[in-house]
Amino acid sequence: MDAGTAAVLGALAGSIATIGAALATGWAQREGARITARSEHRRERREPRHDIYKEFISEANQLSHQTGLYLSFDVDLMPDDITEDRRQLLSGVSAALDEKALEAALAGPKRVTEAALETARLSHRLVGSALNFQGLTEERHQRMRDSVRKSLLAICRRYERSLEGFVFQAQSALDDDGSRK
């Protein structure tokens, strides 16, 4: 090989190395920018989600406290009837929970949405069962009252588990830094 060919090949090798280094540097910068943008996006989504989840849990706990007396293992401790004030209170808390469930569902992600909607669905069943006591005060309704009490106890337990599941899903969503797929 003569000196001219060696010089051309050397220049070509240097050019290829420079182009490769530039491409690698550009790719690394794009990846760094993408990671930074994704991290910022997650931070911006986390803050409102935290507040939305917190409000949903607060409303769900309010309903849980209002219906907690139905979780008694002793059916004699359960109230025999629901007053109109309690009926309105339960309906109001359920409606507020619906609104917060919608907000939590829209905030996502999917697993949190599913947990929020399940908790809201069970809250309707819970309030509906609690309100079924209304009007079952006569002696002839005793068998039906016993059935409603058993159903109510089962729904209360499912509601409590559902709320716990939502809390765990919300924590997981808030802790997700995007490094897991």
Side-chain angles (χ1 to χ4, degrees), residues 158-178:
R158 286 184 58 202
Y159 177 78
E160 293 295 323
R161 284 192 305 269
S162 174
L163 179 54
E164 285 177 10
F166 175 82
V167 170
F168 294 140
Q169 291 296 339
Q171 286 174 337
S172 176
L174 293 174
D175 288 343
D176 183 12
D177 64 357

Side-chain angles (χ1 to χ4, degrees), residues 19-20 28 35-36 40 65 106 122 148 154 165 173 180:
I19 290 170
I35 289 169
T36 301
E40 182 64 21
H65 292 305
L106 292 175
L122 284 171
V148 170
R180 293 176 282 155

Side-chain angles (χ1 to χ4, degrees), residues 3-180:
T5 304
V8 169
L9 289 177
L12 182 62
S15 295
I16 291 173
T18 302
I19 290 170
L23 289 174
T25 301
W27 177 81
Q29 287 176 341
R30 279 192 308 277
E31 280 299 305
R34 187 182 66 76
I35 289 169
T36 301
R38 184 160 174 80
S39 174
E40 182 64 21
H41 174 73
R42 285 191 177 278
R43 186 189 64 76
E44 288 174 359
R45 287 194 46 100
R46 184 189 187 284
E47 291 172 11
R49 279 181 175 173
H50 176 272
D51 295 339
I52 290 168
Y53 296 165
K54 183 178 176 183
E55 290 172 11
F56 176 79
I57 292 167
S58 176
E59 288 296 332
N61 277 330
Q62 177 72 14
L63 182 61
S64 183
H65 292 305
Q66 294 300 324
T67 58
L69 53 109
Y70 299 110
L71 283 172
S72 172
F73 290 102
D74 185 356
V75 294
D76 293 330
L77 295 178
M78 287 185 182
D80 284 334
D81 201 8
I82 296 204
T83 64
E84 185 60 30
D85 288 342
R86 177 164 285 289
R87 184 176 191 268
Q88 288 182 358
L89 179 65
L90 288 173
S91 295
V93 171
S94 181
L97 181 63
D98 269 350
E99 181 182 324
K100 298 304 177 186
L102 178 61
E103 291 176 17
L106 292 175
K110 184 180 180 188
R111 63 186 184 272
V112 173
T113 297
E114 291 168 349
L117 294 177
E118 173 68 8
T119 301
R121 185 181 63 76
L122 284 171
S123 77
H124 289 288
R125 290 187 61 197
L126 178 60
V127 170
S129 288
L131 297 180
N132 277 339
F133 275 127
Q134 194 81 14
L136 295 178
T137 56
E138 296 178 21
E139 192 77 26
R140 63 189 171 112
H141 294 139
Q142 190 58 44
R143 290 180 79 192
M144 189 181 295
R145 288 180 58 77
D146 292 343
S147 174
V148 170
R149 279 185 172 156
K150 288 178 185 176
S151 172
L152 186 54
L153 182 60
I155 293 169
C156 279
R157 289 182 182 144
R158 286 184 58 202
Y159 177 78
E160 293 295 323
R161 284 192 305 269
S162 174
L163 179 54
E164 285 177 10
F166 175 82
V167 170
F168 294 140
Q169 291 296 339
Q171 286 174 337
S172 176
L174 293 174
D175 288 343
D176 183 12
D177 64 357
S179 62
R180 293 176 282 155

